[in-house]
Amino acid sequence: NIKPLVTELLRSAINEMDADRAFVFELHNGSNNTAGLPFIHCTMTYEENARDIEPIDEDYQNLSLTRFSFPEYLHKHDLWFGTIEEFAEIDKKIASRMKHNGATYLVITTIRSEDSEIGYFGFTYCNGKEHKNDKDMMEFMVHAVQRLSKLLDKNTEK
């Protein structure tokens, strides 16, 4: 029931922010170690792309977050925006993957429920495309992540 609403929000990111790609990663317990301790994973569950931009969601399925450092950064700071080269200072591995997918500028934030992190929302600009100004992007992100939090949190009344 929420897919059309999330899709609409991602399309608005592409249209209003003139972005090339918008996406949602959702966190999940992909597996457990032999003692039963869960490994935290994320999966790109939603993606929308501008014309002539290739989908990448298949490249971002069931990622073990222990392999990357960006989740720790977003846990502490909630928001990041800048070039992929700058993002490589935070997480070289995921920045390399994103660069391979054509991204040159990233805006990403944590999606939180009342008591936990439930995922990440972001959008990218590809192939050197100019991004919107910081104020416009931040205003859009605040509004969008509040909507996504309500949509993706099963404990929130719709």
Side-chain angles (χ1 to χ4, degrees):
N1 292 337
I2 69 166
K3 185 179 183 333
L5 301 172
V6 174
T7 297
E8 176 187 332
L9 190 141
L10 296 181
R11 286 184 182 154
S12 71
I14 290 170
N15 293 328
E16 293 177 38
M17 295 294 99
D18 196 27
D20 289 313
R21 180 178 292 120
F23 55 86
V24 171
F25 283 101
E26 289 185 82
L27 302 178
H28 61 92
N29 175 5
S31 59
N32 298 308
N33 70 13
T34 55
L37 185 66
F39 296 124
I40 300 298
H41 290 72
C42 72
T43 292
M44 187 180 285
T45 52
Y46 302 95
E47 175 193 22
E48 289 294 319
N49 296 288
R51 173 174 262 145
D52 299 326
I53 299 295
E54 290 291 320
I56 61 169
D57 58 339
E58 293 297 324
D59 296 338
Y60 295 86
Q61 298 296 304
N62 204 29
L63 301 176
S64 175
L65 292 184
T66 58
R67 298 177 57 229
F68 302 98
S69 55
F70 81 89
E72 185 177 336
Y73 179 91
L74 288 174
H75 177 73
K76 292 179 183 174
H77 302 281
D78 281 329
L79 173 70
W80 192 91
F81 59 97
T83 68
I84 297 301
E85 286 79 19
E86 293 167 331
F87 193 61
E89 295 174 20
I90 293 168
D91 193 322
K92 190 175 185 177
K93 190 182 288 187
I94 199 79
S96 175
R97 185 180 287 205
M98 295 179 87
K99 191 173 187 178
H100 177 74
N101 295 133
T104 51
Y105 194 90
L106 169 67
V107 181
I108 190 166
T109 189
T110 304
I111 305 168
R112 294 183 180 279
S113 67
E114 186 174 318
D115 58 355
S116 63
E117 294 175 15
I118 56 178
Y120 309 108
F121 164 63
F123 53 91
T124 58
Y125 297 87
C126 296
N127 307 316
K129 183 177 184 180
E130 189 66 30
H131 58 86
K132 290 280 192 175
N133 69 58
D134 294 352
K135 180 181 180 292
D136 289 344
M137 290 188 301
M138 295 313 102
E139 286 178 3
F140 182 86
M141 288 299 277
V142 167
H143 173 74
V145 78
Q146 288 175 350
R147 283 193 59 210
L148 282 168
S149 177
K150 291 175 185 170
L151 291 170
L152 299 174
D153 183 1
K154 69 176 182 149
N155 296 317
T156 304
E157 296 242 351
K158 308 294 185 271

